[in-house]
Amino acid sequence: MNDSKHEQMLIWVIRLGAFLCFAGWTWVHLYWEGPYGILLWQDSTYELATRFGISWDEFVGSGAEDGLVQKWLARIGWLYLICTILTLTARKGSWLQIAGLLGGSGLLAVLSYAKYVSAQRQLPMFVEHGGQMLMPVVLVLALVFGVRHRATIVTAMIAFVMTFAGHGCYALNIWPTPATFYAMTCVSLHVEYETAAWLIRVAGVLDVIVCIGIFIPLLRRSSAMYAMLWGFATAIARPVAGMSWSLYYWGTDQFLHEAVLRAPHFLIPLYLFLVWDKPQTTSQLSDREIL
Amino acid sequence: MKLQACLAIFSIGILFSGGPAEAQQNRPRNAGRVDLSIPQVDKKDIICFALYTVDHGILKLTAQLYPIADGDSKTVRLEIEKAGKWVEVAKSTVIERGWTAPFRVENWDDSQAYKYRVLHGTEATYKGTIRKNPTDKDEIIVAGFTGNSIQPVHGGDISRQDIIDNVNRIDADVLFFSGDQVYDHNRHYAAWLKFGRDFGAIIKDRPTICLPDDHDAGQPNLWGESGKISTLSGAADGGYSQPGIYVQEVERAQTSHLPDAVDPHKIGQGIGVYFTNLNWGNIDFAILEDRKFKTGPAGRVPKQGPRPDHIQNPDYNPASVDVPGAILLGERQLKFIDQWAQDWQDADMKIALSQTIFCGGAHIHGSANGRLHADMDSNGWPQSGRNRALAVLRKAFAFHIAGDQHLATIFHHGIEEYRDAVWSFCVPSIANLYLRWWEPLQPGENREPGSPEYTGDQLDGFANKVTNYAAANPEKKPAGNLLNTRAAGYGIVRLNTKTRQITMECWPRNVDITDPAAQQYPGWPRTISQFDNYNPPSWGKLGELTFDVESPVVQLVDAATNEILYTVRANGRTFTAGAPKGKTFIVKAGKNAADTVIVEKAMVGSEPKSVSLK
């Protein structure tokens, strides 16, 4: 494969990651509901609203009518839809679209913060969303500077580390392992709790190893390969464990987006695996392309 | 390489910024959150608290311990004081997962009170009193609690001393914790110990019934679905999110002191069942555990709202969610209630205890999320299951006490017509995690004069017939004083076995409930008759029956179908049975069981009759 095709492939891997991430969250917002309730039902949020002259009924609704909260919660989904489209249309130089993608990254950061607050401020909950939050940023950097640019690769590595470090902290029970980890493992692999717990601890150790491994030239490709497979497995575990022929739409509407929005968890490692695919000649390396 | 090194340090920093698990458990928490660390206690204080019940001559007591050090004995002893001397009556080996020590003592003499003490090693002693069965009391007092948030943001971080003081002032006979004693989804043990430190002073001296609910089991909502594993965030796919051994530990801590389960076959993941009954003070309490078999809605019913369990579309067809295969109470539970309804041995009144009420008991949830048409986490769904449960409960004239809703309410339930089934009292939260309001858009029909518009006959979001008599709605917007503006409190139910009256009281926190000036939430107190729990407006009366024995058990059987309409213990020597018009009934009666046919063809308007049961 020549360099041009290789770079095109890399950019499409990144686009696909950002596209699927935004598409999954668009589904959540438009079909289900964004996870912002925890942020909005706060005295401080209401106080902020009152500074803008917004009454209580206008803010949360009268009971019979929706308030600003409900209306804007529904509208956020359309912003996600726009970002989903931008992942496919944005090009180098289309600054408005690029700004939109960066705004999308901000939306994902707010969403991740809401999930962090609702998880009783467990740090790994925010950290493990790093891959999703930074996926649009990686795309922007790839478009603006190139897929092999240091900034693009470093940002992807940060996203990688955040995703797997956050996951590893939970898997190693440094913060309490979420019950769904055990549940998905038991149901997907048809194993008992004890086996599932052991497997999750092993996975946690491997999460740590790959976070370190991507900084070691000899290990970085194998680390990225493992992370890609593991990230895909953890994403697909949701529909695999939850979907059933007996459910409406086989449970697709309940579970499939859970895998789709986690696409950065395996596509960022894939991108890193591919970008480190072949040794660079000295002439190909510039001082900005060091990794 | 410098950049690589920085990134490596960054990644390792993220990984270990939390410290090891033990440190995580014990480190100081965010100032806005409560510290749930397990305190280091001296060996003499290793027993945290103890819960017990006595039923049909069996004492069951569970001692809850702090972690025992390696090498220390795992044996715990139970002694009672007889004639001034301590006598060992049972030993137990501590179950390390959860550090509980369950005791079971048969042939218990419940005609007198005994002081007891739980002992561990040579130093640890925990003392309390096993009460005598209060069969000589006219009034049995039940203190009902739910929703024990310990977070500052809910006003839950303050002392429970007001509750302790008030329970002692009224000398409650039974404590009922209907669920969400623990809100931490991963550290039940640590939170349960805190619960024990907060409430142990009243629990140790009186029978206590605990029903673990969704948060106790470590999930936001619970449709147990016979022990299935839930994988969906929110658990609306049914089953348990936490591993079976976690749920088993929770149930062992909270329910192993309850009377033996009537049908103890385990469900999925080795999780037990504990539905049973407790007879105390001539009150027969059915302990229902209504979450265990209930099926989850996700994928089972068409999507109607922003969550699989929420219905937001007011124009939806309620029948569309009452789907085949959706279960509320399991067949085993229904069979148990049916048998319980007919058994009036040593019972003057019947009370059903469950986690939540049999209707959609709120319209507005959490405020910021606004109006919700229906919530499938309530026992209003599935409607067929709800009707089956109420139909069997009303056969015993059972009054229903529950919690879970975070909103105190009184409902009179209806199946075929308004007010043709049992009454329920949903008690308020000890500290309210999540606000709800009962606020129908249309005023209720047939309201009592002067009562608020939200009372009266309504269809709930599942088109179930309900009649509201009171709702302790919280303030509409944040208003300080977190406990009482969020409608926190607890319920007191006075069961008078002499008059057969049931009085519901709903108290806010931090008032002296024996002070005549103390105010309850609007709508309380309310007193009903035991017999109001099955007295449909369309019914008439059979001829008065006069007996030659005191308070016999009477049963009506439909002569055409041979189905039991109801069984109840009459109050005194006369009884005027209510019954549907136009039907013929066989009336049975007996001193302690309705085993003698006393009228072959009774109808509404039939002649009075004297009956000898001697």
Side-chain angles (χ1 to χ4, degrees):
Chain A
M1 192 183 291
N2 62 39
D3 283 352
S4 172
K5 281 191 175 176
H6 194 244
E7 293 201 359
Q8 274 192 353
M9 184 174 66
L10 287 171
I11 198 87
W12 276 106
V13 167
I14 299 169
R15 274 191 198 280
L16 185 63
F19 171 80
L20 291 174
C21 182
F22 278 123
W25 282 115
T26 301
W27 181 261
V28 171
H29 284 78
L30 294 181
Y31 189 81
W32 298 110
E33 186 177 63
Y36 308 106
I38 190 80
L39 298 182
L40 294 168
W41 178 232
Q42 301 274 352
D43 295 9
S44 54
T45 314
Y46 170 57
E47 283 164 13
L48 183 66
T50 55
R51 286 188 198 170
F52 294 97
I54 299 168
S55 73
W56 177 256
D57 282 351
E58 288 170 329
F59 186 58
V60 302
S62 63
E65 301 291 335
D66 284 350
L68 288 172
V69 167
Q70 293 88 352
K71 287 173 183 167
W72 278 101
L73 277 180
R75 286 170 189 163
I76 290 172
W78 296 105
L79 299 178
Y80 272 92
L81 182 60
I82 291 167
C83 290
T84 307
I85 296 166
L86 291 180
T87 60
L88 302 177
T89 59
R91 296 287 184 275
K92 184 174 185 176
S94 55
W95 299 111
L96 197 60
Q97 294 189 54
I98 282 172
L101 283 175
L102 291 174
S105 183
L107 287 175
L108 286 165
V110 173
L111 182 148
S112 303
Y113 179 72
K115 295 198 79 174
Y116 157 74
V117 173
S118 101
Q120 303 189 348
R121 297 180 187 274
Q122 294 177 352
L123 185 61
M125 179 55 76
F126 185 79
V127 170
E128 77 165 357
H129 282 81
Q132 296 173 43
M133 286 187 280
L134 291 176
M135 191 82 240
V137 178
V138 174
L139 176 58
V140 166
L141 293 171
L143 292 172
V144 174
F145 299 118
V147 288
R148 293 186 179 280
H149 192 276
R150 180 176 60 184
T152 310
I153 295 172
V154 167
T155 307
M157 290 173 73
I158 292 170
F160 178 107
V161 169
M162 289 179 76
T163 302
F164 290 92
H167 188 273
C169 286
Y170 279 136
L172 288 171
N173 206 31
I174 294 171
W175 271 264
T177 308
T180 48
F181 282 25
Y182 299 115
M184 285 187 297
T185 308
C186 288
V187 175
S188 302
L189 303 179
H190 301 284
V191 295
E192 296 296 317
Y193 165 74
E194 288 75 13
T195 308
W198 182 82
L199 289 171
I200 289 167
R201 299 290 177 268
V202 170
V205 171
L206 290 170
D207 282 337
V208 175
I209 290 172
V210 297
C211 284
I212 297 166
I214 62 161
F215 298 102
I216 301 169
L218 268 177
L219 295 178
R220 63 188 187 185
R221 289 197 72 226
S222 50
S223 296
M225 170 59 85
Y226 166 79
M228 181 190 72
L229 296 173
W230 178 231
F232 181 76
T234 56
I236 204 71
R238 270 84 181 169
V240 166
M243 287 174 63
S244 160
W245 294 116
S246 65
L247 302 178
Y248 270 95
Y249 320 120
W250 312 294
T252 312
D253 60 338
Q254 311 269 353
F255 294 99
L256 191 59
H257 64 276
E258 295 279 358
V260 171
L261 61 85
R262 286 175 172 79
H265 299 188
F266 53 90
L267 289 178
I268 286 176
L270 176 61
Y271 158 71
L272 289 171
F273 177 79
L274 293 174
V275 86
W276 291 324
D277 186 25
K278 54 184 178 182
Q280 303 294 296
T281 62
T282 309
S283 62
Q284 285 175 307
L285 284 172
S286 72
D287 60 346
R288 293 178 304 170
E289 295 172 336
I290 60 165
L291 294 168
Chain B
M1 280 307 291
K2 275 185 181 175
L3 186 58
Q4 278 181 303
C6 288
L7 283 172
I9 291 166
F10 168 72
S11 64
I12 293 166
I14 286 175
L15 277 170
F16 295 104
S17 58
E22 198 63 26
Q24 160 71 12
Q25 178 98 324
N26 289 315
R27 70 180 179 171
R29 309 291 298 183
N30 183 309
R33 303 198 61 77
V34 77
D35 178 12
L36 247 191
S37 57
I38 297 170
Q40 296 291 323
V41 296
D42 295 336
K43 285 187 178 179
K44 67 181 176 56
D45 298 320
I46 205 160
I47 302 163
C48 180
F49 72 118
L51 312 100
Y52 76 86
T53 60
V54 176
D55 179 72
H56 290 101
I58 297 174
L59 164 70
K60 290 185 74 178
L61 182 147
T62 299
Q64 180 63 59
L65 283 79
Y66 289 99
I68 298 173
D70 289 342
D72 284 359
S73 168
K74 303 292 187 295
T75 301
V76 183
R77 292 109 60 203
L78 174 64
E79 294 181 349
I80 60 169
E81 192 180 54
K82 275 186 174 175
K85 288 186 177 177
W86 287 104
V87 180
E88 183 176 298
V89 292
K91 273 185 183 175
S92 176
T93 302
V94 174
I95 299 166
E96 291 194 29
R97 195 172 176 94
W99 300 105
T100 49
F103 297 94
R104 189 176 191 279
V105 183
E106 296 188 359
N107 302 315
W108 183 262
D109 172 16
D110 69 2
S111 67
Q112 58 181 303
Y114 290 97
K115 288 183 177 171
Y116 73 88
R117 64 181 186 182
V118 181
L119 304 162
H120 176 260
T122 56
E123 298 175 57
T125 304
Y126 186 87
K127 290 182 179 176
T129 302
I130 309 291
R131 294 187 168 211
K132 64 172 280 196
N133 193 345
T135 52
D136 53 346
K137 286 181 69 176
D138 290 342
E139 183 179 79
I140 301 298
I141 301 174
V142 180
F145 306 94
T146 194
N148 179 41
S149 171
I150 55 175
Q151 300 303 340
V153 71
H154 310 130
D157 58 328
I158 67 163
S159 160
R160 271 61 176 159
Q161 194 58 44
D162 62 312
I163 293 174
I164 305 298
D165 291 343
N166 281 323
V167 166
N168 283 328
R169 282 182 188 119
I170 61 171
D171 194 21
D173 296 284
V174 176
L175 304 182
F176 170 46
F177 291 90
S178 77
D180 298 344
Q181 285 72 250
V182 164
Y183 271 111
D184 192 284
H185 288 186
N186 295 292
R187 297 173 294 174
H188 177 269
Y189 175 58
W192 184 241
L193 288 171
K194 172 157 175 53
F195 173 83
R197 292 193 295 274
D198 287 344
F199 292 99
I202 48 175
I203 288 173
K204 69 185 177 67
D205 294 330
R206 47 181 59 78
T208 300
I209 298 163
C210 292
L211 306 182
D213 202 1
D214 42 15
H215 294 283
D216 300 280
Q219 55 196 77
N221 288 304
L222 175 57
W223 299 263
E225 205 160 328
S226 300
K228 185 186 150 194
I229 296 174
S230 165
T231 61
L232 187 65
S233 174
D237 55 336
Y240 290 86
S241 299
Q242 288 284 1
I245 56 167
Y246 185 94
V247 179
Q248 290 166 34
E249 179 187 327
V250 170
E251 295 195 346
R252 190 163 53 241
Q254 297 206 21
T255 69
S256 61
H257 66 288
L258 295 180
D260 296 340
V262 294
D263 185 354
H265 296 103
K266 292 184 187 302
I267 58 169
Q269 303 187 71
I271 297 167
V273 301
Y274 55 86
F275 59 90
T276 186
N277 66 309
L278 167 70
N279 190 304
W280 192 246
N282 292 333
I283 308 291
D284 199 1
F285 297 92
I287 298 165
L288 296 185
E289 67 163 334
D290 43 316
R291 311 292 202 184
K292 191 138 276 177
F293 298 96
K294 187 178 181 182
T295 45
R300 195 180 298 278
V301 300
K303 176 186 178 295
Q304 302 282 357
R307 281 172 35 175
D309 53 329
H310 283 180
I311 296 170
Q312 222 168 27
N313 173 17
D315 300 320
Y316 91 112
N317 175 11
S320 70
V321 299
D322 193 15
V323 294
I327 290 169
L328 179 53
L329 297 185
E331 287 301 322
R332 290 199 271 161
Q333 285 170 309
L334 290 166
K335 184 181 169 192
F336 153 64
I337 301 170
D338 193 52
Q339 291 171 347
W340 170 79
Q342 296 174 52
D343 179 8
W344 285 81
Q345 184 78 34
D346 300 326
D348 292 330
M349 302 170 84
K350 298 263 183 181
I351 305 295
L353 305 174
S354 75
Q355 278 93 340
T356 195
I357 52 176
F358 291 100
C359 66
H363 297 99
I364 300 178
H365 293 234
S367 189
N369 290 332
R371 183 165 291 273
L372 194 60
H373 193 66
D375 178 5
M376 283 181 265
D377 177 47
S378 78
N379 281 351
W381 180 83
Q383 298 96 315
S384 297
R386 175 255 185 190
N387 290 342
R388 287 183 75 190
L390 287 173
V392 68
L393 285 173
R394 69 183 178 181
K395 288 183 177 183
F397 292 80
F399 176 69
H400 183 207
I401 312 174
D404 169 62
Q405 291 287 307
H406 310 186
L407 168 63
T409 52
I410 298 174
F411 283 105
H412 192 177
H413 299 269
I415 303 174
E416 291 90 8
E417 60 181 298
Y418 285 104
R419 288 165 268 118
D420 68 358
V422 307
W423 287 64
S424 70
F425 176 20
C426 180
V427 300
S429 291
I430 297 166
N432 201 345
L433 177 93
Y434 181 82
L435 304 184
R436 290 193 177 101
W437 290 259
W438 173 257
E439 195 177 275
L441 291 171
Q442 302 298 325
E445 300 286 333
N446 302 312
R447 299 195 307 279
E448 294 178 323
S451 60
E453 290 195 343
Y454 58 72
T455 61
D457 296 340
Q458 295 274 354
L459 293 176
D460 74 2
F462 300 105
N464 297 312
K465 294 179 179 69
V466 293
T467 304
N468 178 274
Y469 287 89
N473 287 321
E475 297 284 339
K476 269 301 185 67
K477 54 187 175 185
N481 186 10
L482 286 173
L483 279 176
N484 292 337
T485 63
R486 294 171 67 88
Y490 46 95
I492 301 294
V493 180
R494 297 176 188 272
L495 304 161
N496 193 308
T497 54
K498 194 172 184 181
T499 65
R500 302 297 178 84
Q501 287 189 318
I502 299 164
T503 300
M504 295 160 261
E505 300 175 2
C506 186
W507 292 99
R509 295 287 304 279
N510 292 313
V511 298
D512 175 356
I513 67 174
T514 58
D515 181 347
Q519 293 286 313
Q520 300 184 40
Y521 282 110
W524 284 269
R526 173 168 286 272
T527 299
I528 63 167
S529 163
Q530 167 192 22
F531 301 103
D532 291 339
N533 286 297
Y534 196 12
N535 186 21
S538 64
W539 279 13
K541 297 287 184 187
L542 307 185
E544 183 181 76
L545 300 169
T546 303
F547 301 98
D548 58 355
V549 296
E550 199 67 28
S551 302
V553 177
V554 180
Q555 184 179 74
L556 261 67
V557 180
D558 189 317
T561 64
N562 218 29
E563 280 185 28
I564 295 170
L565 184 68
Y566 59 75
T567 313
V568 71
R569 185 176 287 281
N571 190 21
R573 288 179 177 248
T574 61
F575 182 69
T576 306
K581 295 169 185 168
K583 286 188 165 186
T584 306
F585 292 92
I586 301 164
V587 183
K588 297 180 179 178
K591 284 183 186 174
N592 286 308
D595 46 13
T596 305
V597 175
I598 57 169
V599 185
E600 292 278 4
K601 292 178 181 175
M603 294 187 73
V604 168
S606 57
E607 294 296 311
K609 185 175 181 180
S610 292
V611 178
S612 175
L613 293 174
K614 282 187 175 172

